[in-house]
Amino acid sequence: MDFGELWQYHELLYFFTWRDVKVRYKQTGLGFTWAIIQPLFMMVVFSIFFGGLAHIPSEGLPYPLFNLAGLLPWTLFAEGLTRSTTSMVTNANILTKVYFPRLIMPLSGVLSPLVDFAAAFSILVVMMAVYGFMPGWNLIFLPVFIIFAVITSLAVGLWLSALNVQYRDFQYTLPFIIQFWLFASPVVYPSTLLPESIRWLYGLNPMAGVIEGFRWALLGTTPPDALIGVSVAMVIVLLFGGFFYFRKMEQYFADIV
């Protein structure tokens, strides 16, 4: 990847990112409020069924707080993955007429959900105040895990955005992939439910490291230890593989999109 060239087009990246934000809430009555309503309603539903009825453990934390702290990084990842996967096809008209680094499109797709994340995070802050919960020194690592969630989204999004240009099946299977991945990640349950001897294998799902790290940084839950190392290694492999595949395919995008 030519990152020097990418930097020359940083204003275009800003334009695409901000355009994604504005288009998402254009002509909606509630506007940015939807960024808060969606995770809030999911938290309520999950708290009723998994926390109230199924009595899923929450590492000694109030279940709504535990669950919302998992939902926020998950939603950041899922939104970024969805927007980056479809970014090449939805911008086909621009793609075929003007040259610019194609990486800008999936990159803007993973950056634009950060605005929604910031809005939804305010609810988590309010809930922590309601439950009288103060974060510890771990809080300084919170930005690391937010960036980790964005990079994970980009790593997978690079693969799927390139594949979706050639095979549109991916944009239809993506909702199923995300739904399955949600329950395969520790959003509604802690990773400590797994036997300690094999828990590190759970890190092969990179979102396990992201979510457990996010909760640890904010709420002081069980440190992700070896699990986070496996997740980081997995994301590095996916990211470099994604860059290589995207770079190999981008010369054909304008012809087949």
Side-chain angles (χ1 to χ4, degrees), residues 65-144:
L65 187 60
F66 170 86
N67 182 238
L68 189 60
L71 272 172
L72 291 192
W74 169 259
T75 305
L76 176 62
F77 164 77
E79 279 295 327
L81 180 58
T82 301
R83 297 182 201 183
S84 59
T85 297
T86 57
S87 60
M88 308 300 293
V89 174
T90 54
N91 292 294
N93 290 337
I94 304 173
L95 189 69
T96 54
K97 293 174 182 172
V98 184
Y99 173 76
F100 56 89
R102 304 316 192 198
L103 180 63
I104 284 179
M105 289 182 175
L107 199 53
S108 66
V110 300
L111 291 178
S112 57
L114 282 168
V115 177
D116 295 355
F117 174 83
F121 191 80
S122 63
I123 296 297
L124 183 58
V125 172
V126 170
M127 285 187 61
M128 290 173 66
V130 169
Y131 284 110
F133 198 93
M134 285 292 292
W137 63 270
N138 313 359
L139 186 64
I140 60 175
F141 291 100
L142 189 65
V144 174

Side-chain angles (χ1 to χ4, degrees), residues 128-227:
M128 290 173 66
V130 169
Y131 284 110
F133 198 93
M134 285 292 292
W137 63 270
N138 313 359
L139 186 64
I140 60 175
F141 291 100
L142 189 65
V144 174
F145 290 103
I146 294 171
I147 294 170
F148 191 19
V150 173
I151 293 176
T152 303
S153 184
L154 178 64
V156 184
L158 283 172
W159 283 97
L160 295 186
S161 61
L163 286 166
N164 190 49
V165 171
Q166 192 166 8
Y167 307 105
R168 302 296 164 81
D169 310 70
F170 282 93
Q171 67 188 26
Y172 299 111
T173 55
L174 186 61
F176 300 103
I177 294 172
I178 289 177
Q179 194 170 27
F180 173 80
W181 204 334
L182 166 67
F183 290 103
S185 302
V187 176
V188 298
Y189 55 85
S191 63
T192 50
L193 285 182
L194 277 70
E196 190 172 355
S197 58
I198 62 168
R199 196 177 303 156
W200 64 274
L201 286 171
Y202 196 29
L204 292 173
N205 171 4
M207 283 309 295
V210 171
I211 293 169
E212 291 293 10
F214 188 89
R215 277 201 190 107
W216 168 75
L218 198 62
L219 304 176
T221 52
T222 305
D225 49 53
L227 184 148

